[in-house]
Short mmCIF file of all heavy atoms in Angstrom, two decimals:
data_model
loop_
_atom_site.label_atom_id
_atom_site.label_comp_id
_atom_site.label_asym_id
_atom_site.label_seq_id
_atom_site.Cartn_x
_atom_site.Cartn_y
_atom_site.Cartn_z
N HIS Z 82 205.82 107.28 69.90
CA HIS Z 82 204.44 106.90 69.52
C HIS Z 82 204.47 105.80 68.46
O HIS Z 82 203.74 104.81 68.53
CB HIS Z 82 203.67 108.10 68.92
CG HIS Z 82 203.47 109.24 69.86
ND1 HIS Z 82 203.37 109.09 71.21
CD2 HIS Z 82 203.34 110.58 69.63
CE1 HIS Z 82 203.19 110.26 71.78
NE2 HIS Z 82 203.17 111.19 70.85
N VAL Z 83 205.34 106.00 67.46
CA VAL Z 83 205.42 105.03 66.36
C VAL Z 83 205.94 103.68 66.90
O VAL Z 83 205.41 102.62 66.56
CB VAL Z 83 206.34 105.56 65.22
CG1 VAL Z 83 206.51 104.51 64.12
CG2 VAL Z 83 205.76 106.85 64.64
N ALA Z 84 206.94 103.74 67.77
CA ALA Z 84 207.53 102.51 68.31
C ALA Z 84 206.53 101.73 69.16
O ALA Z 84 206.44 100.50 69.07
CB ALA Z 84 208.78 102.84 69.12
N ILE Z 85 205.76 102.43 69.97
CA ILE Z 85 204.77 101.76 70.83
C ILE Z 85 203.73 101.06 69.95
O ILE Z 85 203.36 99.91 70.18
CB ILE Z 85 204.10 102.78 71.80
CG1 ILE Z 85 205.13 103.22 72.85
CG2 ILE Z 85 202.85 102.18 72.46
CD1 ILE Z 85 204.71 104.43 73.68
N SER Z 86 203.30 101.77 68.90
CA SER Z 86 202.29 101.17 68.01
C SER Z 86 202.88 100.02 67.20
O SER Z 86 202.18 99.03 66.92
CB SER Z 86 201.73 102.23 67.05
OG SER Z 86 201.03 103.19 67.79
N ALA Z 87 204.16 100.15 66.81
CA ALA Z 87 204.82 99.05 66.08
C ALA Z 87 204.81 97.80 66.94
O ALA Z 87 204.44 96.71 66.50
CB ALA Z 87 206.25 99.44 65.71
N GLU Z 88 205.21 97.98 68.19
CA GLU Z 88 205.26 96.85 69.12
C GLU Z 88 203.87 96.26 69.33
O GLU Z 88 203.70 95.03 69.37
CB GLU Z 88 205.88 97.33 70.44
CG GLU Z 88 206.08 96.28 71.51
CD GLU Z 88 206.97 95.11 71.10
OE1 GLU Z 88 207.55 95.12 70.00
OE2 GLU Z 88 207.05 94.15 71.88
N ALA Z 89 202.86 97.12 69.40
CA ALA Z 89 201.48 96.65 69.65
C ALA Z 89 200.97 95.76 68.51
O ALA Z 89 200.20 94.83 68.75
CB ALA Z 89 200.55 97.85 69.84
N VAL Z 90 201.40 96.04 67.27
CA VAL Z 90 200.92 95.20 66.16
C VAL Z 90 201.96 94.15 65.75
O VAL Z 90 201.78 93.43 64.77
CB VAL Z 90 200.52 96.05 64.91
CG1 VAL Z 90 199.36 96.98 65.24
CG2 VAL Z 90 201.70 96.82 64.33
N GLY Z 91 203.07 94.08 66.50
CA GLY Z 91 204.10 93.06 66.22
C GLY Z 91 204.95 93.37 65.00
O GLY Z 91 205.50 92.47 64.37
N ALA Z 92 205.06 94.69 64.67
CA ALA Z 92 205.86 95.06 63.49
C ALA Z 92 207.31 95.33 63.89
O ALA Z 92 207.58 95.81 64.99
CB ALA Z 92 205.27 96.31 62.85
N LYS Z 93 208.23 95.04 62.96
CA LYS Z 93 209.60 95.51 63.17
C LYS Z 93 209.65 96.99 62.78
O LYS Z 93 208.81 97.45 62.02
CB LYS Z 93 210.63 94.72 62.38
CG LYS Z 93 210.19 94.04 61.12
CD LYS Z 93 211.35 93.34 60.41
CE LYS Z 93 211.26 91.84 60.41
NZ LYS Z 93 212.16 91.18 59.46
N MET Z 94 210.64 97.69 63.30
CA MET Z 94 210.69 99.13 63.03
C MET Z 94 212.09 99.60 62.67
O MET Z 94 213.06 99.23 63.31
CB MET Z 94 210.21 99.89 64.28
CG MET Z 94 210.37 101.38 64.16
SD MET Z 94 209.59 102.24 65.55
CE MET Z 94 210.09 103.93 65.18
N VAL Z 95 212.14 100.43 61.62
CA VAL Z 95 213.38 101.13 61.28
C VAL Z 95 213.23 102.57 61.74
O VAL Z 95 212.28 103.26 61.37
CB VAL Z 95 213.64 101.12 59.76
CG1 VAL Z 95 214.84 102.00 59.42
CG2 VAL Z 95 213.86 99.71 59.26
N TYR Z 96 214.17 103.02 62.58
CA TYR Z 96 214.21 104.43 62.98
C TYR Z 96 215.43 105.04 62.30
O TYR Z 96 216.56 104.60 62.51
CB TYR Z 96 214.34 104.53 64.50
CG TYR Z 96 214.62 105.93 65.02
CD1 TYR Z 96 213.60 106.87 65.11
CD2 TYR Z 96 215.90 106.31 65.41
CE1 TYR Z 96 213.85 108.15 65.59
CE2 TYR Z 96 216.16 107.59 65.88
CZ TYR Z 96 215.13 108.50 65.97
OH TYR Z 96 215.37 109.78 66.43
N VAL Z 97 215.19 106.05 61.45
CA VAL Z 97 216.30 106.66 60.73
C VAL Z 97 216.92 107.74 61.60
O VAL Z 97 216.25 108.67 62.03
CB VAL Z 97 215.84 107.24 59.38
CG1 VAL Z 97 217.04 107.81 58.62
CG2 VAL Z 97 215.14 106.18 58.55
N SER Z 98 218.20 107.57 61.92
CA SER Z 98 218.89 108.53 62.78
C SER Z 98 220.06 109.17 62.03
O SER Z 98 220.15 109.06 60.80
CB SER Z 98 219.34 107.84 64.08
OG SER Z 98 219.77 108.82 65.00
N THR Z 99 220.95 109.81 62.76
CA THR Z 99 221.87 110.74 62.13
C THR Z 99 223.30 110.68 62.70
O THR Z 99 223.50 110.28 63.86
CB THR Z 99 221.33 112.18 62.32
OG1 THR Z 99 222.33 113.13 61.96
CG2 THR Z 99 220.95 112.46 63.77
N ASP Z 100 224.26 111.12 61.88
CA ASP Z 100 225.65 111.27 62.35
C ASP Z 100 225.76 112.39 63.39
O ASP Z 100 226.76 112.45 64.11
CB ASP Z 100 226.58 111.57 61.16
CG ASP Z 100 226.14 112.76 60.33
OD1 ASP Z 100 224.93 112.97 60.17
OD2 ASP Z 100 227.01 113.49 59.82
N TYR Z 101 224.75 113.24 63.48
CA TYR Z 101 224.82 114.35 64.44
C TYR Z 101 224.61 113.88 65.89
O TYR Z 101 224.60 114.69 66.80
CB TYR Z 101 223.80 115.44 64.08
CG TYR Z 101 224.24 116.31 62.90
CD1 TYR Z 101 225.28 115.92 62.06
CD2 TYR Z 101 223.62 117.52 62.62
CE1 TYR Z 101 225.69 116.70 60.99
CE2 TYR Z 101 224.02 118.31 61.56
CZ TYR Z 101 225.06 117.90 60.74
OH TYR Z 101 225.46 118.68 59.68
N VAL Z 102 224.49 112.56 66.11
CA VAL Z 102 224.50 112.06 67.50
C VAL Z 102 225.94 112.01 68.03
O VAL Z 102 226.16 111.77 69.21
CB VAL Z 102 223.84 110.65 67.65
CG1 VAL Z 102 222.38 110.68 67.24
CG2 VAL Z 102 224.61 109.58 66.87
N PHE Z 103 226.92 112.26 67.15
CA PHE Z 103 228.32 112.27 67.57
C PHE Z 103 228.85 113.71 67.62
O PHE Z 103 228.33 114.59 66.93
CB PHE Z 103 229.18 111.45 66.59
CG PHE Z 103 228.83 109.98 66.59
CD1 PHE Z 103 228.22 109.40 65.50
CD2 PHE Z 103 229.12 109.19 67.70
CE1 PHE Z 103 227.89 108.04 65.51
CE2 PHE Z 103 228.80 107.84 67.72
CZ PHE Z 103 228.18 107.27 66.62
N ASP Z 104 229.93 113.90 68.43
CA ASP Z 104 230.48 115.26 68.53
C ASP Z 104 231.57 115.54 67.49
O ASP Z 104 232.04 116.68 67.36
CB ASP Z 104 230.99 115.55 69.95
CG ASP Z 104 232.11 114.61 70.39
OD1 ASP Z 104 232.75 113.98 69.53
OD2 ASP Z 104 232.35 114.52 71.62
N GLY Z 105 232.01 114.50 66.78
CA GLY Z 105 232.96 114.71 65.68
C GLY Z 105 234.40 114.86 66.12
O GLY Z 105 235.26 115.24 65.32
N THR Z 106 234.70 114.51 67.38
CA THR Z 106 236.08 114.71 67.86
C THR Z 106 236.94 113.44 67.74
O THR Z 106 238.11 113.46 68.08
CB THR Z 106 236.09 115.17 69.34
OG1 THR Z 106 235.42 114.18 70.12
CG2 THR Z 106 235.41 116.51 69.52
N LYS Z 107 236.36 112.33 67.28
CA LYS Z 107 237.13 111.08 67.24
C LYS Z 107 238.29 111.16 66.24
O LYS Z 107 239.34 110.55 66.44
CB LYS Z 107 236.19 109.92 66.85
CG LYS Z 107 236.84 108.56 66.91
CD LYS Z 107 235.89 107.43 66.50
CE LYS Z 107 236.63 106.09 66.49
NZ LYS Z 107 235.85 105.03 65.84
N GLY Z 108 238.10 111.91 65.17
CA GLY Z 108 239.17 112.10 64.20
C GLY Z 108 239.25 110.99 63.17
O GLY Z 108 240.10 111.03 62.28
N GLU Z 109 238.41 109.99 63.27
CA GLU Z 109 238.34 108.94 62.27
C GLU Z 109 236.89 108.43 62.24
O GLU Z 109 236.09 108.79 63.11
CB GLU Z 109 239.32 107.81 62.56
CG GLU Z 109 239.15 107.17 63.92
CD GLU Z 109 240.21 106.09 64.15
OE1 GLU Z 109 240.03 104.99 63.62
OE2 GLU Z 109 241.18 106.37 64.86
N PRO Z 110 236.55 107.62 61.22
CA PRO Z 110 235.13 107.23 61.08
C PRO Z 110 234.55 106.54 62.32
O PRO Z 110 235.22 105.73 62.98
CB PRO Z 110 235.16 106.29 59.88
CG PRO Z 110 236.31 106.79 59.06
CD PRO Z 110 237.35 107.20 60.06
N TYR Z 111 233.31 106.87 62.63
CA TYR Z 111 232.62 106.30 63.80
C TYR Z 111 232.00 104.96 63.45
O TYR Z 111 231.39 104.81 62.40
CB TYR Z 111 231.49 107.24 64.23
CG TYR Z 111 231.95 108.46 64.99
CD1 TYR Z 111 232.18 109.66 64.32
CD2 TYR Z 111 232.15 108.42 66.36
CE1 TYR Z 111 232.60 110.79 65.01
CE2 TYR Z 111 232.57 109.55 67.06
CZ TYR Z 111 232.80 110.72 66.38
OH TYR Z 111 233.22 111.83 67.06
N ASP Z 112 232.15 103.99 64.37
CA ASP Z 112 231.35 102.78 64.20
C ASP Z 112 230.27 102.73 65.28
O ASP Z 112 230.18 103.61 66.13
CB ASP Z 112 232.22 101.50 64.12
CG ASP Z 112 232.87 101.16 65.43
OD1 ASP Z 112 232.22 101.31 66.48
OD2 ASP Z 112 234.04 100.73 65.42
N GLU Z 113 229.45 101.69 65.21
CA GLU Z 113 228.22 101.63 66.00
C GLU Z 113 228.48 101.55 67.51
O GLU Z 113 227.59 101.84 68.30
CB GLU Z 113 227.36 100.43 65.55
CG GLU Z 113 226.78 100.55 64.15
CD GLU Z 113 227.75 100.16 63.04
OE1 GLU Z 113 228.95 99.92 63.31
OE2 GLU Z 113 227.31 100.12 61.87
N GLN Z 114 229.71 101.15 67.88
CA GLN Z 114 230.03 101.02 69.31
C GLN Z 114 230.47 102.34 69.93
O GLN Z 114 230.61 102.43 71.15
CB GLN Z 114 231.19 100.03 69.52
CG GLN Z 114 231.10 98.73 68.75
CD GLN Z 114 229.92 97.92 69.20
OE1 GLN Z 114 229.65 97.85 70.38
NE2 GLN Z 114 229.19 97.34 68.25
N ASP Z 115 230.76 103.33 69.11
CA ASP Z 115 231.34 104.56 69.63
C ASP Z 115 230.36 105.35 70.49
O ASP Z 115 229.14 105.30 70.28
CB ASP Z 115 231.86 105.43 68.47
CG ASP Z 115 233.18 104.93 67.93
OD1 ASP Z 115 234.04 104.55 68.74
OD2 ASP Z 115 233.33 104.88 66.69
N ARG Z 116 230.95 106.09 71.44
CA ARG Z 116 230.14 106.86 72.38
C ARG Z 116 229.49 108.05 71.68
O ARG Z 116 230.16 108.77 70.94
CB ARG Z 116 231.06 107.38 73.51
CG ARG Z 116 230.33 107.90 74.74
CD ARG Z 116 231.34 108.33 75.79
NE ARG Z 116 232.16 109.45 75.35
CZ ARG Z 116 231.84 110.73 75.52
NH1 ARG Z 116 230.73 111.06 76.12
NH2 ARG Z 116 232.64 111.68 75.09
N THR Z 117 228.20 108.21 71.92
CA THR Z 117 227.48 109.35 71.33
C THR Z 117 227.67 110.58 72.22
O THR Z 117 227.88 110.46 73.43
CB THR Z 117 225.98 109.03 71.20
OG1 THR Z 117 225.50 108.61 72.47
CG2 THR Z 117 225.72 107.94 70.18
N ASN Z 118 227.59 111.74 71.62
CA ASN Z 118 227.67 112.99 72.37
C ASN Z 118 227.20 114.13 71.45
O ASN Z 118 228.03 114.88 70.93
CB ASN Z 118 229.11 113.24 72.86
CG ASN Z 118 229.19 114.48 73.73
OD1 ASN Z 118 228.23 114.83 74.42
ND2 ASN Z 118 230.32 115.18 73.67
N PRO Z 119 225.87 114.21 71.24
CA PRO Z 119 225.38 115.20 70.27
C PRO Z 119 225.65 116.64 70.72
O PRO Z 119 225.61 116.93 71.91
CB PRO Z 119 223.89 114.91 70.20
CG PRO Z 119 223.56 114.11 71.41
CD PRO Z 119 224.80 113.41 71.83
N LEU Z 120 225.90 117.51 69.74
CA LEU Z 120 226.23 118.90 70.05
C LEU Z 120 225.01 119.82 69.95
O LEU Z 120 224.98 120.88 70.56
CB LEU Z 120 227.29 119.42 69.06
CG LEU Z 120 228.61 118.64 68.97
CD1 LEU Z 120 229.46 119.18 67.82
CD2 LEU Z 120 229.36 118.75 70.29
N SER Z 121 224.03 119.41 69.15
CA SER Z 121 222.91 120.32 68.83
C SER Z 121 221.59 119.78 69.38
O SER Z 121 221.48 118.60 69.74
CB SER Z 121 222.80 120.44 67.31
OG SER Z 121 222.56 119.16 66.75
N VAL Z 122 220.59 120.65 69.41
CA VAL Z 122 219.24 120.21 69.83
C VAL Z 122 218.74 119.10 68.90
O VAL Z 122 218.21 118.08 69.34
CB VAL Z 122 218.26 121.42 69.81
CG1 VAL Z 122 216.81 120.96 69.93
CG2 VAL Z 122 218.61 122.41 70.91
N TYR Z 123 218.96 119.30 67.60
CA TYR Z 123 218.55 118.28 66.63
C TYR Z 123 219.21 116.93 66.95
O TYR Z 123 218.53 115.90 67.05
CB TYR Z 123 218.92 118.74 65.21
CG TYR Z 123 218.82 117.66 64.16
CD1 TYR Z 123 217.58 117.24 63.68
CD2 TYR Z 123 219.97 117.05 63.63
CE1 TYR Z 123 217.49 116.24 62.70
CE2 TYR Z 123 219.89 116.07 62.67
CZ TYR Z 123 218.65 115.67 62.20
OH TYR Z 123 218.58 114.68 61.25
N GLY Z 124 220.54 116.94 67.15
CA GLY Z 124 221.27 115.70 67.45
C GLY Z 124 220.79 115.06 68.74
O GLY Z 124 220.61 113.84 68.82
N LYS Z 125 220.54 115.89 69.76
CA LYS Z 125 220.08 115.36 71.06
C LYS Z 125 218.68 114.75 70.92
O LYS Z 125 218.38 113.70 71.50
CB LYS Z 125 220.05 116.48 72.10
CG LYS Z 125 221.45 116.89 72.56
CD LYS Z 125 221.40 118.10 73.47
CE LYS Z 125 222.84 118.56 73.74
NZ LYS Z 125 222.95 119.88 74.29
#
Side-chain angles (χ1 to χ4, degrees):
H82 297 330
V83 176
I85 290 167
S86 295
E88 182 59 5
V90 298
K93 27 177 112 165
M94 173 172 175
V95 173
Y96 171 78
V97 183
S98 191
T99 168
D100 54 325
Y101 284 15
V102 299
F103 295 111
D104 61 19
T106 58
K107 186 181 176 192
E109 57 182 281
Y111 283 94
D112 70 40
E113 292 82 353
Q114 314 296 318
D115 283 318
R116 194 178 64 89
T117 53
N118 184 30
L120 303 173
S121 60
V122 167
Y123 168 75
K125 287 174 187 164

